Structures are given as structure tokens and as C-alpha cells.
């Protein structure tokens, strides 16, 4: 009887030691000491970060569900950054919905790339004649064409500038503020 008791207790002790060894190597139970050096606030590859949200309206006829209201997405169109001191332009594309660029000190503007063409071409591309649409004036189109998303100044290359804005959109006319839809809406 003592031999059986000894065998069982020895087995239990050995088994529990094996479990402790397994638990010691489980990554979820490991503790990590905090870093002793300060963590860098932002990547030195850029000093301007831009986030643009585009509002998507509900344009259906039936009453919308909660998931159809207040929809916004990250703007993914090209942007043009203009250095106002020498009039140089740089095209920007987003990375996961965020635009990042390294700029030297100076004054800058940012606008959508689709506005980066002569005014007559811009107006021709954005006017829509036909049934259910009423175009705005040339003055409205010129004001829209000249508008920038941002106007800002970089004073030093070590300070991160975060720029955020949203772009509104309308049913059947998109982001064109000079176009009015006059037709019927869905039932």
C-alpha cells in the first residue's frame, strides 16, 4: 500500500513540475520590462501627416438603417502639395488612408489633384448638362477650382504637423458644390 501511495505522490509531483515548466514558457504569461529609452514620437521620414475623411450620404428612398447613416471613408485621391515660395508641386498618395510627407520650412497649400489643370479644362470636366441637373455659374466653378484643403507653414523639420479635415458629398452631385440635382429622389 505504501508503494502505491509513494508511486502516486511521486507521479503527481513530477506531473505538476512538468506543467509549471510548460506554463513558464507560455508567451501570454511572460512579462516585458518597459523600454529604458524614450520612444520616438513619430517617424523622421515625414513631418507632415494628413488625414481626410469623406462623408458618404445616404441616397436611397426607403428609411435608412443605422448602418447606412453617417458613413465616412478615408479619402484616397491624389493630393498636390505646393510650396508657395518657389511654386514647386509634389503629388501625394495615401498609405492606409494617411498622407505623409517631409517638407522643409516654408508656406504650403494642399489641394485635390483633380483640380491641378487649367480652369477651362476643370470646368469642362465638372459641368454636367442635361435633364435633372442645373449647373452653377463660372464664378462658382472658379472659386471651387481655386480652393485648397489646407494652407499651412512649416517652421522647422523636427515638429510633426497633423492636418485633418473632411470632405462633404451630396447625393447625385458628389463633391461638386456648383451642381444642383433637380430630379426625383428614389421612392
Amino acid at each position: 500500500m505504501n508503494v502505491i501511495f509513494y508511486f502516486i505522490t511521486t507521479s503527481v509531483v513530477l506531473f505538476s513540475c512538468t506543467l509549471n515548466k510548460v506554463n513558464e514558457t507560455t508567451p501570454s504569461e511572460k512579462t516585458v520590462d518597459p523600454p529604458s529609452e524614450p520612444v520616438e514620437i513619430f517617424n523622421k521620414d515625414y513631418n507632415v501627416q494628413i488625414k481626410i475623411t469623406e462623408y458618404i450620404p445616404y441616397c436611397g428612398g426607403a428609411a435608412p438603417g443605422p448602418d447606412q447613416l453617417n458613413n465616412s471613408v478615408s479619402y484616397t485621391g491624389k493630393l498636390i502639395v505646393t510650396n508657395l515660395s518657389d511654386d514647386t508641386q509634389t503629388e501625394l498618395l495615401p498609405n492606409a488612408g494617411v498622407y505623409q510627407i517631409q517638407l522643409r520650412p516654408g508656406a504650403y497649400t494642399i489641394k485635390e489633384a483633380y483640380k491641378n489643370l487649367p480652369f477651362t479644362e476643370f470646368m469642362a470636366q465638372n459641368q454636367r448638362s442635361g435633364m435633372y441637373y442645373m449647373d452653377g455659374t463660372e464664378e462658382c466653378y472658379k472659386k471651387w477650382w481655386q480652393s485648397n484643403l489646407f494652407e499651412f507653414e512649416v517652421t522647422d523639420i523636427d515638429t510633426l504637423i497633423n492636418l485633418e479635415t473632411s470632405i462633404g458629398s451630396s447625393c447625385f452631385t458628389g463633391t461638386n458644390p456648383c451642381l444642383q440635382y433637380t430630379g426625383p429622389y428614389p421612392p
Side-chain angles (χ1 to χ4, degrees):
M1 176 98 143
N2 282 341
V3 174
I4 294 174
F5 179 74
Y6 177 75
F7 179 75
I8 292 174
T9 53
T10 307
S11 298
V12 169
V13 169
L14 286 174
F15 183 71
S16 67
C17 288
T18 305
L19 282 179
N20 283 339
K21 293 242 185 236
V22 169
N23 285 339
E24 287 175 5
T25 60
T26 305
S28 63
E29 293 190 8
K30 287 185 178 179
T31 58
V32 178
D33 294 329
S36 58
E37 298 177 23
V39 178
E40 188 175 42
I41 294 174
F42 68 95
N43 183 340
K44 295 292 185 183
D45 291 341
Y46 61 90
N47 61 350
V48 177
Q49 180 170 287
I50 305 151
K51 294 179 186 175
I52 302 172
T53 305
E54 184 174 1
Y55 170 72
I56 307 297
Y58 174 74
C59 299
D67 61 325
Q68 296 170 313
L69 291 174
N70 300 321
N71 285 332
S72 296
V73 296
S74 293
Y75 182 74
T76 57
K78 293 178 187 175
L79 299 179
I80 299 294
V81 179
T82 303
N83 182 333
L84 296 178
S85 65
D86 60 9
D87 219 27
T88 57
Q89 294 185 334
T90 305
E91 190 174 273
L92 277 181
L93 292 170
N95 182 8
V98 178
Y99 301 83
Q100 299 168 334
I101 189 169
Q102 178 72 30
L103 296 173
R104 63 183 189 267
Y108 295 88
T109 62
I110 298 176
K111 66 180 178 181
E112 302 94 329
Y114 66 83
K115 293 180 181 177
N116 199 31
L117 49 116
F119 174 68
T120 53
E121 287 179 44
F122 174 79
M123 190 165 166
Q125 285 182 8
N126 288 286
Q127 282 184 320
R128 183 184 292 175
S129 59
M131 186 185 261
Y132 302 133
Y133 289 98
M134 188 168 71
D135 261 314
T137 63
E138 183 175 320
E139 182 180 317
C140 179
Y141 278 96
K142 187 163 246 171
K143 185 176 178 183
W144 179 34
W145 175 70
Q146 292 173 334
S147 67
N148 295 310
L149 291 171
F150 302 100
E151 295 176 9
F152 64 100
E153 186 172 351
V154 175
T155 56
D156 66 86
I157 61 170
D158 294 324
T159 302
L160 177 63
I161 299 172
N162 282 308
L163 303 172
E164 293 188 33
T165 193
S166 60
I167 298 173
S169 186
S170 298
C171 292
F172 312 112
T173 59
T175 58
N176 185 338
C178 301
L179 188 62
Q180 184 178 0
Y181 177 74
T182 59
Y185 282 82

